[in-house]
Amino acid sequence: MAELRLSETRDLTRIERIGAHSHIRGLGLDSVLEPRAVSEGMVGQIKARTAAGVTLELIRDGKISGRAILIAGQPGTGKIAIAMGIAKSLGQETPFTMIAGSEIFSLEMSKTEALTQAFRKAIGVRIKEETDVIEGEVVTISIDRPASSGGSVKKTGKITMKTTDMESNFDLGWKLIEALDKEKVQSGDVIVLDRFCGKITKLGRSFTRSRDFDVMGSKTKFVQCPEGELEKRKEVLHSVTLHEIDVIKSRTQGYLALFTGDTGEIRSETREQIDTKVAEWREEGKAEIVPGVLFIDEVHMLDIECFSFLNRALENDMSPILVVATNRGMTTIRGTNQISAHGIPIDFLDRLLIITTQPYTQDEIRKILEIRCQEEDVEMNEEAKQLLTLIGCNTSLRYAIHLINAAALACLKRKGKVVEIQDIERVYRLFLDTKRSMQYLVEHESEYLFSVPIKNTQEATAGEETEHEAMEV
């Protein structure tokens, strides 16, 4: 019994979570901004991706200040995927902040403060700093380990480093020895050692050690031995966001406040001081502003006060790229009785570059399902893929994606290796889609508590539509 339990144990040291958009790597555009059919996880939406590529070039050229992007379309047409593709295409160092429209109403702060913090999280500051470093290839490391086990005795040692022009020895303190042990530095590694803070950066292994097969791994990176002198003055870049600087400046515990999560409201005077200081650094060439992407999903959930704040915030010189998304049509602006397109006031709509997404075709749904099968590591035969595609066309793409893992589990229970039609049929009967669920409710409405007759609901809906049409006229 013990052997059986040991055989069933799994290694849980590395857990990988698969998100709904973890397969998105970018917008899938070529050098002339023409979208490829299937690339970087993106499928279809040719017009929307082309428009997103044009706005991406505007962002890179810094010519989109004062504007924002609205991605409007039906549910399940890839609005969030396009926003994530824009962020991924801008680079790893570009800040990307994602919030929901209803999120700001549940925070313990005012709505405008929550939006301000979201804006400043999406604005990066790249600070340039000159420091003395030692850069070279490690020849030998010798550490003197004291025989005494007392806590007062600390380790000392020496390190020999070289470049193509010179070689020198350096004494090591106990802090540097701990840093070398942490980075697992050994002879043949090319490292950069900061003399002030003791930070060690491992660049890779020297090409002269490329034949040391016993210390090579699949991800081993080989670099050339540095040239010139060992000790040199180098420019170091530190990337932070404006919100992080705000928290550090406004809290007594400094940068430790970032780990507590309790940022609270920040005074406007503090932000003005920080903006003035960052502007001085920009003029002196010590800092560079990196506009990021702020993505607000379900933007129709914002009220009229939030929209008026966004109007003003977009006019700021250091505003990020604002991308909003909605799946609503003509609906009421929250906080008012006025009806507008997408639930957004007209004055804010004028500032938006609107990108629309279209429903996917049958071939595009099939390709998306194949990508998701690869992402979720599920093997499925062609007949099952065809049936799942038909289900996605008749119901929705999200419902078809939900059935992938459920069908894989059903296949596992019958001790199969490849998902077949019978697995898809089984989970299709177990889990209802929206249409079948509504049909079931209509047939058994009298058995539910507080049921409202469908006829009365339709009459009330028709009355509301007539009233809305009269208001539009």
Side-chain angles (χ1 to χ4, degrees):
M1 188 68 179
E3 293 180 359
L4 182 61
R5 288 179 180 176
L6 287 174
S7 64
E8 290 180 354
T9 57
R10 298 178 181 177
D11 184 14
L12 296 178
T13 55
R14 183 167 177 246
I15 299 175
E16 293 185 358
R17 293 203 62 184
I18 299 174
H21 300 90
S22 56
H23 61 284
I24 302 298
R25 309 284 187 270
L27 287 173
L29 305 175
D30 56 17
S31 57
V32 292
L33 301 181
E34 288 294 330
R36 304 183 185 95
V38 181
S39 179
E40 297 181 335
M42 297 294 291
V43 178
Q45 302 297 343
I46 303 299
K47 292 183 179 179
R49 286 160 57 197
T50 305
V54 174
T55 57
L56 185 65
E57 289 300 313
L58 291 174
I59 293 169
R60 287 172 176 167
D61 295 341
K63 298 178 180 178
I64 199 169
S65 59
R67 303 193 194 108
I69 302 167
L70 169 64
I71 304 176
Q74 300 176 17
T77 53
K79 297 185 293 297
I80 300 178
I82 291 175
M84 293 190 69
I86 293 174
K88 293 286 182 67
S89 301
L90 287 173
Q92 295 294 330
E93 293 185 357
T94 303
F96 178 71
T97 305
M98 180 176 176
I99 63 172
S102 57
E103 183 180 334
I104 63 171
F105 297 97
S106 60
L107 300 175
E108 295 180 355
M109 61 182 74
S110 64
K111 294 176 287 188
T112 54
E113 175 67 20
L115 286 173
T116 302
Q117 290 190 11
F119 263 74
R120 294 177 78 84
K121 284 179 185 177
I123 302 172
V125 182
R126 194 178 290 133
I127 302 172
K128 302 176 184 178
E129 180 185 10
E130 289 188 354
T131 182
D132 292 331
V133 298
I134 300 172
E135 182 178 4
E137 178 186 340
V138 178
V139 181
T140 58
I141 300 176
S142 60
I143 299 174
D144 299 329
R145 304 182 184 275
S148 175
S149 60
S152 60
V153 181
K154 296 178 180 179
K155 294 181 288 187
T156 58
K158 289 186 177 181
I159 184 171
T160 304
M161 297 178 64
K162 72 171 185 178
T163 62
T164 55
D165 300 335
M166 63 181 297
E167 182 175 328
S168 181
N169 297 324
F170 300 94
D171 294 329
L172 295 174
W174 65 275
K175 286 187 177 180
L176 280 177
I177 292 174
E178 288 182 356
L180 289 170
D181 289 340
K182 184 179 179 181
E183 294 292 333
K184 298 180 181 179
V185 176
Q186 54 188 346
S187 59
D189 290 338
V190 179
I191 65 171
V192 177
L193 193 153
D194 194 328
R195 297 192 62 179
F196 291 104
C197 64
K199 181 182 177 182
I200 294 176
T201 305
K202 194 173 177 180
L203 302 180
R205 287 192 64 78
S206 175
F207 275 110
T208 57
R209 301 297 185 100
S210 59
R211 296 187 179 274
D212 296 344
F213 297 103
D214 55 336
V215 295
M216 283 177 58
S218 59
K219 297 183 180 180
T220 303
K221 181 182 178 182
F222 291 99
V223 295
Q224 294 285 353
C225 182
E227 300 178 353
E229 298 186 357
L230 277 167
E231 301 184 38
K232 59 187 72 174
R233 196 162 186 83
K234 199 170 184 180
E235 190 178 79
V236 182
L237 295 177
H238 304 283
S239 297
V240 293
T241 64
L242 280 179
H243 177 67
E244 291 173 349
I245 302 176
D246 294 343
V247 174
I248 294 171
K249 180 71 174 175
S250 62
R251 296 292 177 267
T252 56
Q253 60 266 42
Y255 71 93
L256 294 176
L258 296 171
F259 298 97
T260 62
D262 184 18
T263 57
E265 294 200 7
I266 300 171
R267 295 185 304 169
S268 58
E269 294 83 359
T270 303
R271 290 197 174 103
E272 290 176 1
Q273 294 175 4
I274 292 171
D275 291 345
T276 304
K277 194 64 179 178
V278 170
E280 292 178 2
W281 289 346
R282 289 178 65 185
E283 292 178 358
E284 296 171 1
K286 295 181 179 179
E288 180 183 355
I289 300 296
V290 183
V293 177
L294 172 60
F295 178 66
I296 304 178
D297 194 16
E298 305 293 337
V299 70
H300 56 266
M301 295 299 295
L302 298 180
D303 58 10
I304 192 67
E305 298 173 3
C306 296
F307 285 120
S308 62
F309 174 81
L310 291 177
N311 269 326
R312 178 67 184 87
L314 286 176
E315 296 177 355
N316 195 351
D317 294 337
M318 291 194 299
S319 64
I321 297 96
L322 179 63
V323 182
V324 298
T326 181
N327 54 19
R328 300 294 175 91
M330 299 295 295
T331 185
T332 306
I333 303 172
R334 184 170 180 174
T336 67
N337 294 324
Q338 301 296 321
I339 294 177
S340 179
H342 312 298
I344 301 175
I346 299 298
D347 57 344
F348 187 67
L349 272 174
D350 288 341
R351 296 179 179 271
L352 301 178
L353 296 173
I354 303 175
I355 300 174
T356 58
T357 55
Q358 303 297 327
Y360 289 107
T361 62
Q362 183 172 344
D363 292 337
E364 292 170 351
I365 290 176
R366 182 184 175 86
K367 291 175 183 176
I368 293 172
L369 292 175
E370 289 177 352
I371 292 174
R372 292 304 302 178
C373 287
Q374 294 175 2
E375 185 73 15
E376 299 178 13
D377 197 16
V378 174
E379 292 187 18
M380 189 178 297
N381 61 19
E382 292 299 321
E383 295 177 351
K385 288 180 182 178
Q386 186 175 359
L387 176 59
L388 196 61
T389 304
L390 292 175
I391 292 174
C393 294
N394 294 328
T395 58
S396 67
L397 176 61
R398 287 177 177 170
Y399 175 73
I401 291 175
H402 292 162
L403 296 183
I404 292 176
N405 260 325
L409 184 59
C411 175
L412 183 64
K413 289 301 179 182
R414 66 173 180 82
K415 298 181 181 180
K417 295 183 180 179
V418 180
V419 176
E420 298 178 358
I421 285 183
Q422 57 180 334
D423 303 314
I424 302 293
E425 291 176 347
R426 183 182 180 187
V427 295
Y428 181 76
R429 294 191 189 99
L430 290 175
F431 302 102
L432 300 181
D433 58 274
T434 308
K435 294 179 181 178
R436 286 186 294 156
S437 178
M438 291 177 63
Q439 182 180 358
Y440 182 84
L441 288 175
V442 170
E443 294 175 355
H444 303 85
E445 62 176 341
S446 59
E447 300 176 8
Y448 284 85
L449 192 65
F450 302 122
S451 60
V452 179
I454 299 298
K455 294 181 180 180
N456 296 345
T457 307
Q458 292 176 349
E459 290 175 0
T461 306
E464 290 179 359
E465 291 178 355
T466 306
E467 183 181 353
H468 291 172
E469 291 175 358
M471 292 178 67
E472 290 174 13
V473 173

